[in-house]
Amino acid sequence: MSDNPVLSIITVCYNEKEVERTCKSITEQTFKDFEWIVIDGGSNAETLKILEKYKFKMDFFVSEKDTGIYNAMNKGIAQAKGIWLNFMNAGDAFFENTSLEKLFFKNANSFKKNDVVYCNSLSHKDNGKTYTTNFYKKLDYPFWCENCISHQASFIKKELFEKFGPYSEEYKISGDLDKWLLFLSKGCKFKHLKNVVANYYENGISARNTELREKERKTILDKYFINSYKTAETIRFLGIPIIRIKKSRDNKKYKIVFLKIPVFVGKTNL
């Protein structure tokens, strides 16, 4: 690894039985211009034994108690020297051993012109079924209501954390949603690539705690979208929408939007 690698891969771990899957995925990448930072939260002997096997491949390793996943991720950011950051946390993996090579060699312009590059992932259910998560290009309010970009398949310029601070540790599950929306609100450029980059296994903390996840999501959406408006009623004339009445998400403000009325020009037989 060079002193200034292109990429820092940060792995956060705590008592993850499938951590070896993650370790193999990272160490077997054909792309080599990265450093690997492992932040363990004081795991049991079984997990530490697996990590010990791969320790010689790690550029930084620590095993100590933390206050949660975002506290651990922030520790990783503080150690990172790469231009780009990827959070491949314990249990998940890259889609194939050429994932990074295909991404960085074939999409150089996307990395030059953008602040966040987010890709697709293959999601694995507990019952063994899989499906591809194809994220949208349009990151609007309806998207965030139901979705979140996968940090396993995303690459973030480290300088964004230097400019706008680390992950908020007040959230237990949805700190990544808060940070994505903060970046967008600051005008950071996001680019979607269709590459399937990561294998995501739906047995993590966010998948298990749906009630807390939705509570935090609502708090975050209210913070960033409280002044946005949604359509409450559409007024039509002869079936053509002419006016939309919109209300703010907090239901305190309304506004009227006059729509453009299409002009129909009939053909004339000469």
Side-chain angles (χ1 to χ4, degrees), residues 246-262:
K246 296 194 170 190
K247 63 178 179 180
S248 60
R249 290 191 62 248
D250 60 2
N251 297 321
K252 293 180 179 180
K253 298 178 182 178
Y254 288 82
K255 67 179 180 179
I256 296 175
V257 178
F258 293 91
L259 305 176
K260 290 183 179 180
I261 301 174

Side-chain angles (χ1 to χ4, degrees), residues 170-188:
E170 69 176 291
Y171 302 111
K172 300 301 181 184
I173 294 176
S174 302
D176 47 342
L177 173 62
D178 176 69
K179 189 58 70 176
W180 295 134
L181 292 178
L182 174 65
F183 290 158
L184 285 168
S185 72
K186 298 296 184 180
C188 298

